Amino acid sequence: MFRDGRRAMYAAGEPLLVRAQQAGVARADASFDDVLRLVTGLTAVEFVDDEQRDRVLAIALDGVHTHR
């Protein structure tokens, strides 16, 4: 079950990251595994409030985006 879930996440997510990298809006040095671990870490914590959650997510996404 877990292997099937992992395969499904990679099948859906990896092409999205590759397209974002090709478009120049995602870091070229980020792998899908890197992004998946980032998301896993963010979902494993509790936030004080919605504003903190949104702020932390924005900080994480700024690290994945390229800054052209």
Side-chain angles (χ1 to χ4, degrees), residues 4-5 15 18-20 23-25 28 33 36 44 47 52 55 59 62-64:
D4 289 341
V18 168
R19 285 198 304 263
V25 295
D33 189 62
L36 190 59
F47 297 99
Q52 183 186 42
R55 186 173 55 255
I59 292 166
D62 282 345
V64 174

Side-chain angles (χ1 to χ4, degrees), residues 8-25:
M9 282 190 292
Y10 273 79
E14 199 161 27
L16 293 174
L17 177 61
V18 168
R19 285 198 304 263
Q21 289 168 324
Q22 290 170 343
V25 295

Side-chain angles (χ1 to χ4, degrees), residues 31-48:
S31 70
F32 182 68
D33 189 62
D34 295 338
V35 175
L36 190 59
R37 289 174 191 274
L38 175 70
V39 170
T40 301
L42 289 172
T43 59
V45 298
E46 290 186 35
F47 297 99
V48 173

